Amino acid sequence: GRWGEGPSWAVEVSGDIVCCGGGANVIVADISDPARPLIRKRVLTKSTVRGLAIQGNYCYVANDLGGFMVIDIGTPSEAKIVAEMPFAGEDQWDVKVAGNYAYLAGDMLHIIDISDPSNPQKTGSFDIPGTGCIDGDLEGNLYYYAGVSKGMGIINVSDPAAPVAAGSYDGQGWIMGVEAQPQRCLIFS
């Protein structure tokens, strides 16, 4: 879809709060009354918002050329960026969060320790072959990614400091999305 701010690539919901990308903005809205959603705050980021994940009071952002950002949404009307991690020259398309880690994917998969959301620390990285990752998903210790022109890949992330390739599928045509489930992964092309 499209908002006045620009294209909307990502939407995440947690309880009565929804965060969505609108160009370079993360729009934080209250949906406690679904008939009358209220925008509580627009948080301007450095680049196009490509991916979002919410955990607790924080929204984690894959910010295209702007890198990785953490937004405190604990008080939606006062939402603000509390941490930024640039990744010079890399596109960031997707972010997933599990436990104390964020999995930021684009040209590479970066595993980021978010145990202190205001001070994230890069733990490990994995070079995604080809044109990088446009979508990813976690199932247990496996990170599945849509490698666009290079099919689907699987990365074992059981050791966040040393992720390793665990498998791949070349597919036919471009793979644009993945959905991991126990014992299988659905791909969308």
Side-chain angles (χ1 to χ4, degrees):
R2 258 183 110 63
W3 288 69
E5 287 88 357
S8 181
W9 291 89
V11 175
E12 279 292 309
V13 177
S14 179
D16 289 336
I17 298 298
V18 62
C19 291
C20 61
N25 287 296
V26 173
I27 300 163
V28 182
D30 179 337
I31 56 170
S32 55
D33 180 354
R36 292 189 174 90
L38 298 171
I39 294 175
R40 294 295 185 193
K41 185 80 173 193
R42 285 179 174 83
V43 180
L44 183 62
T45 68
K46 294 187 176 193
S47 189
T48 302
V49 174
R50 300 284 188 191
L52 298 169
I54 296 174
Q55 182 172 275
N57 289 330
Y58 297 92
C59 179
Y60 300 90
V61 183
N63 194 227
D64 199 8
L65 292 172
F68 175 71
M69 295 184 171
V70 181
I71 299 174
D72 183 339
I73 59 170
T75 303
S77 61
E78 297 174 15
K80 64 183 178 222
I81 297 170
V82 294
E84 298 180 52
M85 291 181 79
F87 291 93
E90 290 184 38
D91 291 322
Q92 305 305 328
W93 279 83
D94 189 60
V95 63
K96 297 294 185 270
V97 173
N100 287 330
Y101 294 98
Y103 300 84
L104 180 70
D107 296 334
M108 297 183 72
L109 173 67
H110 296 287
I111 302 173
I112 302 167
D113 182 333
I114 55 168
S115 55
D116 177 359
S118 63
N119 187 28
Q121 299 293 316
K122 187 170 112 173
T123 303
S125 295
F126 183 88
D127 190 9
I128 295 175
T131 54
C133 167
I134 194 167
D135 185 40
D137 204 5
L138 282 165
E139 178 58 37
N141 288 325
L142 299 176
Y143 181 86
Y144 296 81
Y145 67 87
V148 189
S149 65
K150 291 289 185 181
M152 186 265 304
I154 307 167
I155 303 168
N156 183 323
V157 295
S158 57
D159 179 357
V164 296
S168 64
Y169 171 72
D170 286 333
Q172 296 181 8
W174 287 30
I175 295 179
M176 302 300 287
V178 294
E179 175 71 29
Q181 298 176 347
Q183 304 298 314
R184 66 181 174 183
C185 180
L186 305 172
I187 59 174
F188 307 92
S189 61

